[in-house]
Amino acid sequence: MAQVSSIAEEQAPNPLSASKSVLLRISRFNPETDESNKFMEFSVPYQKWTTVLEAILDVKKHFDHSVAVRYSCRQATCGSCGMLINGKPRLACFTKISELNSDVVTVEPMNNFPVIRDLAVRFERLFDTHHKIKPFLIRDDTELESNEKEFLQSPEELENFIQFANCIKCGLCNSACPTMTTDSSFVGPQALAQAYRYVADSRDKGKDSRLDIIDESHGIWRCHFAGSCSQVCPKGVDPAMGIQFLRGYLLGFRS
Amino acid sequence: MTQDDNKEGIKGMANPGRYGIERIAYLLMRLTGLGLLGYFIAHVYETSNILRGRMGWDEFLAMTQTTEGHLFLVLVIGMCVFHTGNGIRIMLGHGGVGVGKPARPDYPYDPASQNYRHKIGIYSSIVLAAVAMMYGMAVMFGE
Ligand code: HEM
Ligand code: SF4
Ligand code: FES
């Protein structure tokens, strides 16, 4: 289906100074009724600062409210709006149309996640694998019982893991990962990076149990250091770095 | 597209166009690994021809003395050199060597693990493979 609609200038709430417009192609797919996806095309005006998410919301407002898209914070913090934008996994709220340098913007649901409808995908598996690596401090005592008020940590110790704590669970890394394109059981870069986040935390004592969890046939050994996860991460987490450090422990390069 | 995982499959895995030289190296590593495995099996088979005596051995070896045979061997040389060079880079990376140091990330969030050391490793493996292939061609075709 290639039906092109465009937003009439007088319909827009604020008169738009720029006359630039972009062809937004949105993948439409309802797994309950459709055999395959179809693209709907819309001509959408944009400014230098207009994000892809804003363009999609424009379409929902003016043409077709039924376009399914998940979003919340609009500021790269909640991790809801990941999708394929011109073939690459990105956050729609963090991607400006102007930076894509293209007259056509194609949005599709993220790969390697089951589609709920249109651009919205299921996150159950990502949350499961995240949970599997025990994303919490493991130790025998608790802050509530100890004499000190809290477990102290130096600024240097914080630097060792703070980068990995930036993860917003958006799933872009899992969508870019070449292993995940064929292996649904792979634990994935998101969870592995979080395993490292806790292993590198000086307050945590659960290193051995976490290394045990990821040392399995669909665990860390399926990573081939292609680095695509790190290239798409919108928060600078660099999962590939954390994964190689973890493997360094397992191979005896690090202790 | 179906209701399943919406996985990209082999096509997505092999698509080297989107994620830079590191993803190209990943693909080349797979292809050269499988190519070398194929060559290794064929090589064991070929050398087993020695059991057929000198005639059988010479007969089989003649296959590599043709233009196609030479080109095939040049390809094997290239695969070998790239696979070894890039393999050493990957083994170091897998051990956590040269993948950068954790630091507070800053916009635009260039990942430290995708650094120039690894890029140099990849490009030099490609260049070395090309040089070795040219040398091989010079030796085999230069008579
Ligand atoms: C000094 C020589 C070699 C080195 C340093 C080396 C290194 C490596 C490394 C590090 C990997 C893993 C790459 C990854 O994690 O994605 C690998 C994969 C592989 N290698 Fe080698 N290798 C060498 C020789 C060979 C030979 C002679 C063969 C064939 C007989 C071979 C066949 C393979 C295969 C089939 C793979 C799997 C490819 C994949 O699944 O991506 N390698 N090699
Ligand atoms: S590591 Fe980066 S890309 Fe992966 S889920 Fe976390 S924030 Fe998203
Ligand atoms: S809407 Fe929250 S990350 Fe994009």
Side-chain angles (χ1 to χ4, degrees):
Chain A
M1 181 178 4
Q3 149 213 347
V4 183
S5 321
S6 61
I7 293 176
E9 289 291 317
E10 64 272 17
Q11 263 188 311
N14 306 307
L16 294 159
S17 52
S19 56
K20 276 194 283 191
S21 70
V22 72
L23 186 69
L24 182 64
R25 299 176 68 238
I26 302 182
S27 170
R28 304 298 307 269
F29 176 60
N30 182 347
E32 277 165 22
T33 55
D34 302 344
E35 284 276 294
S36 64
N37 70 326
K38 296 191 177 83
F39 284 96
M40 279 177 113
E41 300 184 346
F42 304 92
S43 173
V44 184
Y46 73 99
Q47 308 275 4
K48 205 168 102 189
W49 53 82
T50 307
T51 64
V52 173
L53 180 63
E54 286 166 340
I56 294 169
L57 295 180
D58 243 9
V59 165
K60 276 178 76 78
K61 188 166 171 192
H62 297 289
F63 298 116
D64 190 343
H65 188 65
S66 72
V67 172
V69 58
R70 188 200 280 118
Y71 70 99
S72 176
C73 69
R74 306 189 192 205
Q75 52 171 14
T77 304
C78 71
S80 310
C81 67
M83 61 184 71
L84 287 190
I85 299 175
N86 285 359
K88 255 175 135 172
R90 307 177 209 249
L91 294 180
C93 72
F94 197 50
T95 306
K96 293 195 290 294
I97 289 174
S98 56
E99 80 192 55
L100 293 169
N101 293 322
S102 169
D103 296 332
V104 183
V105 173
T106 304
V107 289
E108 298 162 89
M110 269 196 295
N111 286 120
N112 312 334
F113 289 84
V115 179
I116 301 172
R117 199 154 61 78
D118 301 341
L119 304 171
V121 296
R122 273 184 211 295
F123 270 77
E124 280 87 344
R125 230 184 70 71
L126 180 125
F127 294 146
D128 280 352
T129 47
H130 178 70
H131 192 238
K132 189 173 155 186
I133 57 91
K134 303 191 177 169
F136 40 79
L137 294 186
I138 299 177
R139 51 191 289 160
D140 294 335
D141 52 346
T142 78
E143 287 180 320
L144 296 176
E145 286 164 12
S146 74
N147 292 331
E148 292 179 49
K149 262 207 180 125
E150 56 203 27
F151 299 138
L152 294 180
Q153 187 164 57
S154 71
E156 292 74 32
E157 287 167 333
L158 178 70
E159 293 293 315
N160 288 336
F161 72 86
I162 189 71
Q163 156 178 355
F164 301 95
N166 266 13
C167 174
I168 57 172
K169 290 89 192 165
C170 63
L172 298 192
C173 50
N174 283 13
S175 178
C177 171
T179 300
M180 299 220 84
T181 60
T182 54
D183 181 358
S184 324
S185 311
F186 179 43
V187 58
Q190 188 278 332
L192 288 170
Q194 290 317 292
Y196 185 71
R197 177 252 173 272
Y198 286 95
V199 166
D201 189 325
S202 59
R203 299 163 299 175
D204 184 76
K205 307 281 177 244
K207 178 171 153 198
D208 292 342
S209 80
R210 281 200 191 83
L211 290 181
D212 264 356
I213 295 168
I214 58 173
D215 179 13
E216 48 127 10
S217 66
H218 290 273
I220 189 165
W221 309 108
R222 300 255 164 163
C223 166
H224 296 274
F225 192 28
S228 310
C229 51
S230 299
Q231 295 184 14
V232 300
C233 177
K235 304 303 283 185
V237 171
D238 203 345
M241 180 199 280
I243 297 170
Q244 310 324 311
F245 284 158
L246 282 176
R247 188 165 13 211
Y249 288 123
L250 287 162
L251 293 174
F253 280 65
R254 297 161 65 88
S255 55
Chain B
M1 204 186 288
T2 54
Q3 201 171 357
D4 72 0
D5 279 0
N6 187 25
K7 290 202 297 280
E8 276 190 296
I10 307 253
K11 237 170 65 198
M13 180 206 80
N15 177 353
R18 291 170 293 178
Y19 305 112
I21 188 72
E22 289 84 359
R23 186 73 171 247
I24 295 174
Y26 161 83
L27 179 65
L28 284 177
M29 191 68 187
R30 300 219 112 163
L31 293 178
T32 55
L34 293 174
L36 286 176
L37 185 64
Y39 174 76
F40 184 67
I41 294 166
H43 186 64
V44 170
Y45 175 75
E46 188 205 24
T47 46
S48 73
N49 269 294
I50 195 119
L51 296 177
R52 288 170 50 208
R54 196 195 174 102
M55 286 282 279
W57 174 256
D58 285 348
E59 225 174 75
F60 219 89
L61 209 65
M63 273 172 56
T64 56
Q65 304 301 322
T66 59
T67 307
E68 295 80 33
H70 283 169
L71 287 176
F72 172 71
L73 288 180
V74 165
L75 193 66
V76 171
I77 294 172
M79 291 196 298
C80 228
V81 174
F82 176 82
H83 192 89
T84 306
N86 193 54
I88 292 168
R89 172 189 78 86
I90 292 182
M91 287 194 285
L92 289 171
H94 279 341
V97 178
V99 295
K101 216 170 132 250
R104 212 170 274 271
D106 250 327
Y107 189 81
Y109 304 130
D110 287 330
S113 69
Q114 313 293 295
N115 57 39
Y116 71 95
R117 274 184 240 113
H118 280 276
K119 286 190 210 300
I120 288 174
I122 297 168
Y123 284 117
S124 22
S125 302
I126 295 174
V127 169
L128 275 176
V131 170
M133 284 166 87
M134 285 192 280
Y135 180 71
M137 275 201 275
V139 170
M140 281 187 271
F141 290 107
E143 297 135 15

mmCIF file of all heavy atoms in Angstrom, chain A residues 183-201:
data_model
loop_
_atom_site.group_PDB
_atom_site.id
_atom_site.type_symbol
_atom_site.label_atom_id
_atom_site.label_comp_id
_atom_site.label_asym_id
_atom_site.label_seq_id
_atom_site.Cartn_x
_atom_site.Cartn_y
_atom_site.Cartn_z
ATOM 1 N N ASP A 183 19.500 -16.577 16.862
ATOM 2 C CA ASP A 183 19.438 -17.367 18.097
ATOM 3 C C ASP A 183 18.553 -16.675 19.141
ATOM 4 O O ASP A 183 18.974 -15.723 19.790
ATOM 5 C CB ASP A 183 20.870 -17.536 18.643
ATOM 6 C CG ASP A 183 20.915 -18.376 19.913
ATOM 7 O OD1 ASP A 183 19.839 -18.797 20.379
ATOM 8 O OD2 ASP A 183 22.024 -18.604 20.427
ATOM 9 N N SER A 184 17.319 -17.178 19.299
ATOM 10 C CA SER A 184 16.410 -16.535 20.262
ATOM 11 C C SER A 184 16.771 -16.862 21.698
ATOM 12 O O SER A 184 16.227 -16.256 22.615
ATOM 13 C CB SER A 184 14.967 -16.977 20.046
ATOM 14 O OG SER A 184 14.685 -17.164 18.719
ATOM 15 N N SER A 185 17.646 -17.841 21.919
ATOM 16 C CA SER A 185 17.969 -18.214 23.297
ATOM 17 C C SER A 185 19.193 -17.480 23.835
ATOM 18 O O SER A 185 19.491 -17.574 25.021
ATOM 19 C CB SER A 185 18.241 -19.714 23.395
ATOM 20 O OG SER A 185 17.231 -20.429 22.759
ATOM 21 N N PHE A 186 19.907 -16.770 22.959
ATOM 22 C CA PHE A 186 21.110 -16.052 23.395
ATOM 23 C C PHE A 186 20.734 -15.034 24.475
ATOM 24 O O PHE A 186 19.753 -14.322 24.342
ATOM 25 C CB PHE A 186 21.750 -15.352 22.197
ATOM 26 C CG PHE A 186 22.985 -14.550 22.513
ATOM 27 C CD1 PHE A 186 23.957 -15.047 23.364
ATOM 28 C CD2 PHE A 186 23.183 -13.299 21.943
ATOM 29 C CE1 PHE A 186 25.105 -14.307 23.645
ATOM 30 C CE2 PHE A 186 24.324 -12.555 22.204
ATOM 31 C CZ PHE A 186 25.275 -13.062 23.062
ATOM 32 N N VAL A 187 21.544 -14.991 25.524
ATOM 33 C CA VAL A 187 21.239 -14.091 26.647
ATOM 34 C C VAL A 187 21.299 -12.619 26.216
ATOM 35 O O VAL A 187 20.543 -11.792 26.719
ATOM 36 C CB VAL A 187 22.172 -14.395 27.842
ATOM 37 C CG1 VAL A 187 23.622 -14.256 27.468
ATOM 38 C CG2 VAL A 187 21.854 -13.517 29.035
ATOM 39 N N GLY A 188 22.145 -12.300 25.240
ATOM 40 C CA GLY A 188 22.110 -10.975 24.622
ATOM 41 C C GLY A 188 22.988 -9.925 25.286
ATOM 42 O O GLY A 188 23.304 -10.008 26.469
ATOM 43 N N PRO A 189 23.384 -8.904 24.482
ATOM 44 C CA PRO A 189 24.296 -7.877 24.988
ATOM 45 C C PRO A 189 23.729 -7.064 26.148
ATOM 46 O O PRO A 189 24.481 -6.654 27.035
ATOM 47 C CB PRO A 189 24.571 -6.982 23.768
ATOM 48 C CG PRO A 189 23.568 -7.353 22.745
ATOM 49 C CD PRO A 189 23.115 -8.750 23.037
ATOM 50 N N GLN A 190 22.433 -6.826 26.152
ATOM 51 C CA GLN A 190 21.869 -6.008 27.235
ATOM 52 C C GLN A 190 22.120 -6.673 28.585
ATOM 53 O O GLN A 190 22.654 -6.063 29.514
ATOM 54 C CB GLN A 190 20.361 -5.796 26.999
ATOM 55 C CG GLN A 190 19.717 -4.808 27.966
ATOM 56 C CD GLN A 190 19.351 -5.429 29.300
ATOM 57 O OE1 GLN A 190 19.092 -6.620 29.392
ATOM 58 N NE2 GLN A 190 19.349 -4.623 30.351
ATOM 59 N N ALA A 191 21.726 -7.956 28.687
ATOM 60 C CA ALA A 191 21.866 -8.658 29.965
ATOM 61 C C ALA A 191 23.342 -8.865 30.319
ATOM 62 O O ALA A 191 23.741 -8.732 31.480
ATOM 63 C CB ALA A 191 21.144 -10.001 29.904
ATOM 64 N N LEU A 192 24.164 -9.171 29.314
ATOM 65 C CA LEU A 192 25.579 -9.385 29.597
ATOM 66 C C LEU A 192 26.227 -8.105 30.127
ATOM 67 O O LEU A 192 27.016 -8.132 31.073
ATOM 68 C CB LEU A 192 26.305 -9.883 28.344
ATOM 69 C CG LEU A 192 25.988 -11.336 27.948
ATOM 70 C CD1 LEU A 192 26.549 -11.666 26.575
ATOM 71 C CD2 LEU A 192 26.531 -12.315 28.989
ATOM 72 N N ALA A 193 25.873 -6.974 29.520
ATOM 73 C CA ALA A 193 26.434 -5.700 30.000
ATOM 74 C C ALA A 193 26.007 -5.447 31.442
ATOM 75 O O ALA A 193 26.783 -4.922 32.251
ATOM 76 C CB ALA A 193 25.981 -4.544 29.101
ATOM 77 N N GLN A 194 24.788 -5.840 31.788
ATOM 78 C CA GLN A 194 24.333 -5.645 33.164
ATOM 79 C C GLN A 194 25.009 -6.629 34.112
ATOM 80 O O GLN A 194 25.266 -6.303 35.276
ATOM 81 C CB GLN A 194 22.807 -5.758 33.247
ATOM 82 C CG GLN A 194 22.104 -4.587 32.577
ATOM 83 C CD GLN A 194 22.759 -3.253 32.914
ATOM 84 O OE1 GLN A 194 22.713 -2.807 34.053
ATOM 85 N NE2 GLN A 194 23.394 -2.626 31.929
ATOM 86 N N ALA A 195 25.320 -7.831 33.622
ATOM 87 C CA ALA A 195 26.091 -8.754 34.451
ATOM 88 C C ALA A 195 27.414 -8.096 34.818
ATOM 89 O O ALA A 195 27.853 -8.135 35.966
ATOM 90 C CB ALA A 195 26.325 -10.071 33.715
ATOM 91 N N TYR A 196 28.047 -7.441 33.831
ATOM 92 C CA TYR A 196 29.316 -6.786 34.134
ATOM 93 C C TYR A 196 29.118 -5.598 35.070
ATOM 94 O O TYR A 196 29.937 -5.342 35.949
ATOM 95 C CB TYR A 196 30.044 -6.319 32.862
ATOM 96 C CG TYR A 196 31.395 -5.753 33.214
ATOM 97 C CD1 TYR A 196 32.412 -6.603 33.630
ATOM 98 C CD2 TYR A 196 31.632 -4.381 33.212
ATOM 99 C CE1 TYR A 196 33.637 -6.104 34.033
ATOM 100 C CE2 TYR A 196 32.855 -3.872 33.613
ATOM 101 C CZ TYR A 196 33.852 -4.743 34.018
ATOM 102 O OH TYR A 196 35.054 -4.241 34.437
ATOM 103 N N ARG A 197 28.007 -4.877 34.902
ATOM 104 C CA ARG A 197 27.739 -3.720 35.760
ATOM 105 C C ARG A 197 27.783 -4.118 37.238
ATOM 106 O O ARG A 197 28.303 -3.383 38.078
ATOM 107 C CB ARG A 197 26.369 -3.102 35.400
ATOM 108 C CG ARG A 197 25.949 -1.934 36.279
ATOM 109 C CD ARG A 197 24.808 -2.361 37.198
ATOM 110 N NE ARG A 197 24.479 -1.324 38.168
ATOM 111 C CZ ARG A 197 25.070 -1.215 39.357
ATOM 112 N NH1 ARG A 197 26.033 -2.029 39.711
ATOM 113 N NH2 ARG A 197 24.712 -0.266 40.189
ATOM 114 N N TYR A 198 27.231 -5.290 37.572
ATOM 115 C CA TYR A 198 27.230 -5.715 38.978
ATOM 116 C C TYR A 198 28.552 -6.360 39.387
ATOM 117 O O TYR A 198 29.021 -6.167 40.497
ATOM 118 C CB TYR A 198 26.025 -6.615 39.261
ATOM 119 C CG TYR A 198 24.763 -5.785 39.303
ATOM 120 C CD1 TYR A 198 23.951 -5.644 38.185
ATOM 121 C CD2 TYR A 198 24.442 -5.058 40.447
ATOM 122 C CE1 TYR A 198 22.846 -4.817 38.203
ATOM 123 C CE2 TYR A 198 23.340 -4.228 40.470
ATOM 124 C CZ TYR A 198 22.543 -4.111 39.348
ATOM 125 O OH TYR A 198 21.470 -3.278 39.367
ATOM 126 N N VAL A 199 29.153 -7.114 38.455
ATOM 127 C CA VAL A 199 30.439 -7.733 38.767
ATOM 128 C C VAL A 199 31.482 -6.654 39.075
ATOM 129 O O VAL A 199 32.337 -6.817 39.944
ATOM 130 C CB VAL A 199 30.893 -8.630 37.589
ATOM 131 C CG1 VAL A 199 32.360 -9.007 37.732
ATOM 132 C CG2 VAL A 199 30.033 -9.885 37.512
ATOM 133 N N ALA A 200 31.390 -5.514 38.367
ATOM 134 C CA ALA A 200 32.388 -4.454 38.533
ATOM 135 C C ALA A 200 32.077 -3.537 39.713
ATOM 136 O O ALA A 200 32.849 -2.629 40.008
ATOM 137 C CB ALA A 200 32.471 -3.623 37.250
ATOM 138 N N ASP A 201 30.967 -3.766 40.396
ATOM 139 C CA ASP A 201 30.562 -2.911 41.512
ATOM 140 C C ASP A 201 31.250 -3.400 42.787
ATOM 141 O O ASP A 201 31.056 -4.554 43.195
ATOM 142 C CB ASP A 201 29.030 -2.979 41.653
ATOM 143 C CG ASP A 201 28.510 -1.942 42.639
ATOM 144 O OD1 ASP A 201 29.196 -1.665 43.640
ATOM 145 O OD2 ASP A 201 27.405 -1.423 42.398
#
